């Protein structure tokens, strides 16, 4: 789920890292492309899983990992084990991943705002274009990959191209990937949606909806015409971190650093409703405060930061489940009142035994993972007895608005138990709670003043 | 020195527009490159409708966000619907010291033109110069009413131009709706020679999509540069987008905008002095393909 340490297991998986696509180009936290730090390519730095998605047919899992900027595809084996099929390293650290309806295409958004499409299963025979820069034709390799045939020749050529690429930045990725669109801001979420019969004409149309740190939600046409922007849904005043479609894709719920969730008729870029989230979050935090752990003092005005939105249907009503960073509770917004233009919708909440990290909604139940390391409603205070990650099963309560925390699995695996003592707890927070960092420090002067200049 | 600048600017600012001369550039110079990726202390509207356009164009009765839909917009940008009933139609991206704005203003007196510039001092210079020119024009024209603007559709000189500080690479959609603009100027953009800084260029295949979004069908993007590599980069960037068609030389013949962009921009003049080459490329916005 949200945090897992991933160790590249066997080395015989295809690693598409040729041609100087260095997974070693670590980028710094500010959005400055090109700032480079070299990490030793040989040391196996663990790569943290940033996000995971599963194919509709349940046969594949796609994960994006941080340090190596990789998109990894796993096959779900009969035994339930995962077998890594491919690892493709992107230029920039991926930040969001999504699969097309038919599972054929992966969409990846990155830290610098670009979105790419990749085939789920990379073609084995992909030949990268000879990467020659126009301006430096003198550094052209003697031949191109399409003109050499022997393995030895090819090796030499590859080395040549690598050398060129080390000097000159690369223009293409060594695997099939298409640049679809770009924001000039970290892409926080990307959703692919297909609408059936949208205007009565029986047409099926797909869209890519993308969100960024600069408060934008962009609606583009689907992959074949992603360069056409249909509209923007504007109104957020802080970063947008999550998007969630409901009503067969007709409506969009967005959340981020604002105190409200926004509900959109997104095709018309029309804001239907803002729904207050701060009230319920504060109430939940207040109710969740342990009398036992007095140190878990809850500051009264913490910024709201949405980390998850999931569509959920309870007794026929369309709802959205909401997670907020560092909040030990799960929130539920029933959207029926909005669809029926009725009373203003309310967000209800249920407290959880730890900060909500991630959620899986299945037909029969909801499984959530909670942070067992930090105190409830704190991103920094570590619990006295560290309980590790925990899973809870939630069952809807009779009122349809709250949940009963039904089952509770504490990880009892002996091996993990010992590892747990070695966890650097500050590091855990660094990995778990990153969404809040998207918030802009307003009022800072980003300009280096008035200096002599051009002309 | 900084003190002198502040004083100069403050004095000017306090004076009424009719009484001031044109500002002097030397008090507004600023480091050439602003980081387009950082969070400047920028203020921007959350969406075009949320912006006070009236304040920007005080002489215009109703600067609406009457974004015309691409379908009913004129194919030729120069029709004479009174400016008062529409929004900004021309954007000068990275307008610098505003040479293009001041030259276009009398050429298209009824069209609202907006300069967008990321550097604060440079923006302030342009704003000051606009204010001064407007003041002078009003003084020289006895028929024009003084401070309170009459709500007519005709604009007095220089009332059709304005300049704001903005990072257009990030916030264009916050200012302009779909199909709102008839012309976009990209004059002598910063070249960012280094390959790994190309993402900082104001034209890229992905940004071309945003320019296409803001332009109406038939609208034109004008580009000019003295850097051949950048010229080709811009041509590649726009040509890669099927929503654009490069205009041929004969189609641009007699286009006043091309002449102005070559001759009246600060950079254009500089290149002229140094005997450099000016590369021009213009692209027309085509209709969205069916899907
Ligand atoms: C070389 S100057 C050209 C000025 C003017 N267009 C001319 O032709 O004289 C480029 C200008 O673009 C501005 N600029 C660069 N990036 C920008 C951005 N993202 N948004 C707005 N302005 C930008 C720079 O501050 C600079 O003033």
């Amino acid at each position: 789920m949200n945090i897992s340490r991933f160790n590249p297991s066997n080395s015989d998986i295809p690693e598409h890292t040729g041609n100087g696509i260095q997974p070693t180009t670590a980028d710094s936290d500010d959005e400055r492309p090109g700032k480079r730090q070299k990490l030793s390519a040989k040391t196996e730095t663990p790569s943290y899983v940033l996000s995971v998605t599963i194919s509709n047919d349940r046969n594949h899992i796609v994960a994006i990992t941080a340090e190596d900027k990789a998109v990894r595809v796993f096959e779900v084996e009969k035994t339930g084990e995962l077998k890594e099929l491919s690892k493709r390293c992107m230029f920039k650290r991926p930040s969001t991943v999504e699969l097309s309806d038919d599972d054929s295409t992966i969409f990846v958004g990155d830290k610098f705002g670009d979105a790419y499409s990749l085939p789920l299963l990379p073609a084995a025979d992909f030949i990268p274009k000879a990467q020659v820069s126009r301006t430096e034709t003198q550094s052209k390799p003697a031949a191109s990959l399409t003109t050499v045939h022997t393995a030895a020749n090819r090796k030499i050529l590859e080395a040549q191209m690598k050398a060129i690429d080390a000097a000159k930045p690369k223009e293409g990725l060594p695997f099939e990937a298409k640049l679809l669109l770009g924001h000039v801001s970290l892409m926080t979420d990307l959703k692919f949606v297909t609408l059936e019969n949208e205007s009565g004409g029986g047409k099926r149309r797909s869209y890519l909806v993308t969100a960024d740190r600069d408060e934008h939600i962009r609606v583009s046409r689907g992959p074949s015409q992603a360069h056409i922007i249909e509209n923007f849904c504007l109104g957020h005043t802080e970063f947008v971190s999550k998007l969630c479609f409901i009503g067969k894709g007709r409506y969009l719920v967005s959340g981020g650093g604002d105190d409200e969730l926004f509900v959109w008729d997104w095709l018309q870029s029309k804001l239907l409703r803002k729904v207050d989230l701060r009230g319920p979050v504060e109430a939940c935090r207040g109710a969740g405060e342990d009398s036992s752990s007095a140190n878990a003092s809850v500051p009264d005005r913490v910024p709201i930061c949405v980390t998850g939105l999931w569509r959920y249907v309870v007794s026929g009503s369309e709802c959205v489940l909401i997670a907020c960073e560092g909040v030990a509770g799960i929130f539920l917004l029933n959207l029926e009142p909005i669809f029926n233009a009725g009373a203003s919708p309310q967000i209800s909440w249920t407290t959880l035994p730890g900060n909500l990290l991630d959620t899986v909604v299945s037909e029969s139940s909801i499984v959530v993972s909670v942070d067992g390391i930090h105190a409830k409603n704190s991103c920094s205070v570590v619990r006295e007895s560290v309980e590790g990650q925990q899973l809870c099963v939630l069952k809807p309560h009779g009122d349809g608005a709250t949940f009963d925390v039904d089952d509770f699995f504490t990880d009892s695996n002996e091996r993990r138990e010992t590892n747990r003592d070695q966890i650097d707890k500050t590091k855990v927070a660094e990995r778990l709670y990153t969404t809040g960092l998207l918030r802009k420090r307003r009022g800072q002067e980003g300009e280096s003043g008035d200096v002599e200049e051009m002309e | 020195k900084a003190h002198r600048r502040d004083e100069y600017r403050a004095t000017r600012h306090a004076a009424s527009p009719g009484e001031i001369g044109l500002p002097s550039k030397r008090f507004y110079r600023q480091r050439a490159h602003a980081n387009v990726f950082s969070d400047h202390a920028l203020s921007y509207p959350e969406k075009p409708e949320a912006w006070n356009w009236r304040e920007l164009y005080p002489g215009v009765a109703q600067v609406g966000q009457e974004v015309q839909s691409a379908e009913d917009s004129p194919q030729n940008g120069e029709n004479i619907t009174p400016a008062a009933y529409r929004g900004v139609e021309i954007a000068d991206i990275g307008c610098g010291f505003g040479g293009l704005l001041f030259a276009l203003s009398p050429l298209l007196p009824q069209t609202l033109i907006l300069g967008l510039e990321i550097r604060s001092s440079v923006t302030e210079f342009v704003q000051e110069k606009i204010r001064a020119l407007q003041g002078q024009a009003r003084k020289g024209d006895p028929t024009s009413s003084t401070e309170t603007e009459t709500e007519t559709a005709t604009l007095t000189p220089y009332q059709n131009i304005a300049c704001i500080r903005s990072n257009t690479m990030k916030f264009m959609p916050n200012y302009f709706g779909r199909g709102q603009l008839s012309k976009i100027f990209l004059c002598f953009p910063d070249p960012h020679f280094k390959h790994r800084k190309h993402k900082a260029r104001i034209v890229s295949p992905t940004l071309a999509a945003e320019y296409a979004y803001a332009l109406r069908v038939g609208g034109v993007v004008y580009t000019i540069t003295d850097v051949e590599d950048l010229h080709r980069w811009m041509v590649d960037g726009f040509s890669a987008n099927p929503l654009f068609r490069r205009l041929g030389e004969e189609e641009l013949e007699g286009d006043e905008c091309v002449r102005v962009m070559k001759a009246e921009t600060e950079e254009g003049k500089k290149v002229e002095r140094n005997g450099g080459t000016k590369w021009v490329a213009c692209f027309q916005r085509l209709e969205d393909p069916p899907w």
Side-chain angles (χ1 to χ4, degrees):
Chain A
M1 274 190 180
N2 215 316
I3 181 171
S4 40
R5 203 177 250 255
F6 181 82
N7 286 310
S9 45
N10 49 357
S11 51
D12 51 55
I13 51 152
E15 266 209 41
H16 297 277
T17 55
N19 284 347
I21 312 305
Q22 301 143 340
T24 54
T25 314
D27 37 32
S28 56
D29 252 5
D30 53 356
E31 298 178 34
R32 207 178 305 141
K35 214 186 169 190
R36 301 165 139 209
Q37 285 168 25
K38 282 255 169 176
L39 301 179
S40 154
K42 281 283 159 255
T43 50
E44 294 256 301
T45 21
S47 254
Y48 286 86
V49 175
L50 296 165
S51 178
V52 176
T53 182
I54 186 160
S55 63
N56 293 302
D57 65 12
R58 300 285 183 258
N59 289 333
H60 294 94
I61 279 180
V62 183
I64 50 175
T65 48
E67 280 72 11
D68 54 8
K69 306 187 176 82
V71 177
R72 297 162 186 262
V73 176
F74 300 85
E75 190 175 303
V76 183
E77 303 201 301
K78 294 250 155 51
T79 55
E81 266 162 54
L82 299 182
K83 181 178 162 216
E84 191 171 61
L85 297 180
S86 69
K87 170 182 159 187
R88 283 166 276 183
C89 295
M90 308 299 291
F91 286 142
K92 305 287 180 209
R93 177 183 291 195
S95 49
T96 171
V97 64
E98 168 93 339
L99 272 168
S100 62
D101 296 342
D102 64 0
D103 291 335
S104 67
T105 310
I106 304 170
F107 302 108
V108 210
D110 73 28
K111 212 180 151 181
F112 286 80
D114 289 330
Y116 292 84
S117 64
L118 317 168
L120 177 71
L121 304 171
D125 55 354
F126 179 78
I127 297 169
K129 279 193 220 114
Q131 289 153 26
V132 188
S133 135
R134 270 188 273 98
T135 46
E136 291 212 347
T137 32
Q138 67 271 28
S139 56
K140 210 178 208 156
S144 78
L145 272 176
T146 43
T147 60
V148 277
H149 300 291
T150 70
N153 263 352
R154 204 188 167 88
K155 270 225 173 82
I156 293 167
L157 178 61
E158 267 165 12
Q160 239 174 37
M161 305 214 323
K162 223 175 226 161
I164 292 168
D165 275 321
K168 268 261 130 185
K170 49 273 168 176
E171 283 184 2
L173 289 160
F175 46 83
E176 192 183 338
K178 188 174 155 210
L179 175 62
L180 295 174
L181 58 97
H183 294 225
V184 184
S185 175
L186 186 149
M187 189 176 290
T188 50
D189 205 0
L190 179 159
K191 286 278 183 288
F192 176 82
V193 66
T194 303
L195 296 185
E196 306 282 348
N197 198 17
E198 147 201 327
S199 46
K203 275 229 163 113
R204 272 186 115 231
R205 280 177 179 164
S206 296
Y207 297 85
L208 290 163
V209 183
T210 45
D212 71 26
R213 183 177 172 239
D214 287 329
E215 310 94 24
H216 297 131
I217 298 170
R218 180 193 290 195
V219 178
S220 306
R221 290 189 181 179
S224 60
Q225 292 187 19
H227 57 278
I228 301 181
I229 299 173
E230 286 290 322
N231 65 52
F232 286 87
C233 295
L234 303 177
H236 277 280
T237 58
E238 290 289 346
F239 64 87
V240 183
S241 49
K242 288 290 166 197
L243 303 173
C244 179
F245 285 106
I246 42 160
K248 295 205 173 79
R250 274 301 314 263
Y251 302 97
L252 179 71
V253 179
S254 61
D258 282 312
D259 282 353
E260 302 94 6
L261 291 182
F262 287 48
V263 185
W264 306 89
D265 178 353
W266 57 276
L267 262 183
Q268 311 300 323
S269 28
K270 202 171 131 205
L271 177 65
L272 297 177
R273 199 77 69 114
K274 290 191 204 179
V275 186
D276 177 60
L277 185 55
R278 171 164 290 280
V281 165
E282 282 177 357
C284 172
R285 290 172 67 98
E289 203 166 353
D290 287 345
S291 41
S292 55
S293 62
N295 59 345
S297 59
V298 182
D300 9 358
R301 202 172 168 84
V302 287
I304 301 288
C305 176
V306 174
T307 54
L309 295 174
W310 299 271
R311 180 176 171 268
Y312 171 64
V313 181
V314 59
S315 41
S317 298
E318 288 235 28
C319 301
V320 168
L321 294 170
I322 305 140
C324 291
E325 192 157 89
V327 177
I330 187 162
F331 301 83
L332 182 100
L333 167 62
N334 187 330
L335 290 143
E336 292 304 322
I338 296 179
F339 300 155
N340 305 327
S344 23
Q346 295 283 325
I347 292 178
S348 52
W349 46 270
T350 304
T351 55
L352 294 173
N355 298 336
L356 177 57
L357 298 177
D358 210 346
T359 299
V360 173
V361 181
S362 75
E363 288 89 56
S364 54
S365 58
I366 298 171
V367 182
V368 297
S369 70
V370 298
D371 175 1
I373 290 173
H374 296 92
K376 284 199 261 178
N377 300 313
S378 169
C379 297
S380 53
V381 179
V382 174
R383 295 185 187 205
E384 274 156 36
S385 73
V386 173
E387 286 146 73
Q389 255 164 280
Q390 295 161 316
L391 298 178
C392 306
V393 176
L394 308 184
K395 290 273 157 68
H397 194 77
D399 61 3
T402 56
F403 298 99
D404 296 317
V405 181
D406 209 42
D407 253 328
F408 196 87
F409 306 118
T410 311
D411 189 349
S412 59
N413 182 309
E414 209 47 56
R415 190 172 54 83
R416 306 269 291 280
E417 204 70 57
T418 45
N419 278 349
R420 198 169 295 133
D421 298 331
Q422 292 153 19
I423 295 174
D424 182 346
K425 284 145 203 152
T426 56
K427 283 271 157 57
V428 173
E430 246 168 55
R431 294 286 168 180
L432 283 182
Y433 301 117
T434 55
T435 310
L437 301 175
L438 294 172
R439 193 174 300 274
K440 293 177 181 174
R441 284 157 292 166
R442 305 271 173 186
Q444 92 185 3
E445 183 57 47
E447 223 170 4
S448 5
D450 300 338
V451 196
E452 287 303 309
E453 52 107 36
M454 59 195 292
E455 245 213 354
Chain B
K1 195 154 138 253
H3 178 70
R4 277 226 340 267
R5 289 165 65 109
D6 293 348
E7 209 169 298
Y8 175 86
R9 296 195 205 175
T11 319
R12 280 194 63 90
H13 216 81
S16 89
E19 289 152 14
I20 42 174
L22 299 183
S24 160
K25 256 186 223 170
R26 103 192 128 88
F27 294 105
Y28 296 89
R29 295 207 190 282
Q30 195 173 2
R31 207 171 75 109
H33 297 296
N35 181 356
V36 291
F37 300 112
S38 77
D39 302 337
H40 293 100
L42 288 173
S43 59
Y44 44 87
E46 62 186 51
K47 52 187 173 187
E49 306 89 280
W51 184 248
N52 191 345
W53 295 96
R54 198 58 230 272
E55 198 169 276
L56 214 51
Y57 296 95
V60 183
Q62 302 166 19
V63 199
Q65 266 302 293
E66 287 293 296
V67 182
Q68 299 174 340
S69 73
E71 289 73 55
D72 57 37
S73 69
Q75 287 294 305
N76 188 338
E78 255 109 316
N79 76 337
I80 323 285
T81 319
Y85 301 106
R86 48 160 104 174
V88 171
E89 271 185 61
I90 301 183
D92 182 9
I93 308 287
C95 67
F97 287 99
L100 184 82
L101 290 176
F102 300 114
L104 281 183
S105 175
L107 277 182
L108 301 163
Q110 301 308 317
T111 306
L112 297 191
I113 309 172
L114 184 63
L116 301 109
E117 168 55 52
I118 199 169
R119 291 179 297 165
S120 55
S121 287
V122 177
T123 309
E124 203 185 320
F125 170 85
V126 179
Q127 290 167 340
E128 275 298 300
K129 188 163 168 184
I130 293 173
R131 219 161 66 93
L133 285 170
Q134 287 173 345
Q136 288 176 359
R138 214 168 354 208
K139 252 167 94 179
D141 177 6
T143 63
S144 107
S145 58
T146 46
E147 283 300 315
T148 43
E149 308 296 340
T150 45
E151 309 226 328
T152 63
T154 344
L155 297 175
T156 55
Y158 300 109
Q159 282 187 327
N160 62 330
I161 53 174
C163 178
I164 53 169
R165 181 172 179 219
S166 171
N167 180 352
T168 59
M169 286 176 69
K170 283 170 171 272
F171 300 114
M172 269 255 290
N174 294 57
Y175 295 95
F176 308 118
R178 184 186 172 126
Q180 177 175 346
L181 300 175
S182 63
K183 296 176 200 300
I184 294 176
F185 287 90
L186 296 160
C187 299
F188 301 95
D190 295 328
H192 295 287
F193 288 106
K194 281 191 210 135
H195 215 300
R196 60 193 177 86
K197 287 221 160 175
H198 282 182
K199 183 94 176 136
R201 284 183 169 174
I202 210 146
V203 174
S204 66
T206 53
L207 279 172
E210 282 198 23
Y211 295 125
Y213 166 80
L215 265 188
R216 65 182 63 154
V217 174
V220 176
V221 180
Y222 292 81
T223 76
I224 184 168
T225 175
D226 58 326
V227 180
E228 191 184 353
D229 179 57
L230 177 61
H231 167 67
R232 275 194 271 150
W233 167 273
M234 294 198 285
V235 170
D236 289 352
F238 281 110
S239 306
N241 190 318
L243 292 181
F244 287 105
R245 175 180 78 88
R246 184 163 179 193
L247 292 171
E249 234 156 85
E250 51 322 316
E251 290 174 280
L252 292 170
E253 223 164 84
D255 189 330
E256 274 292 282
C257 292
V258 174
R259 185 190 61 77
V260 166
M261 133 177 121
K262 277 179 162 167
E264 307 286 349
T265 52
E266 271 77 15
E267 287 296 307
K269 289 179 186 158
K270 201 166 96 184
V271 175
E272 197 68 54
R273 282 200 300 276
N274 301 338
T277 314
K278 295 173 200 169
W279 306 84
V280 173
C282 304
F283 305 87
Q284 190 172 48
R285 169 69 153 91
L286 303 175
E287 254 173 87
D288 292 348
W291 68 314

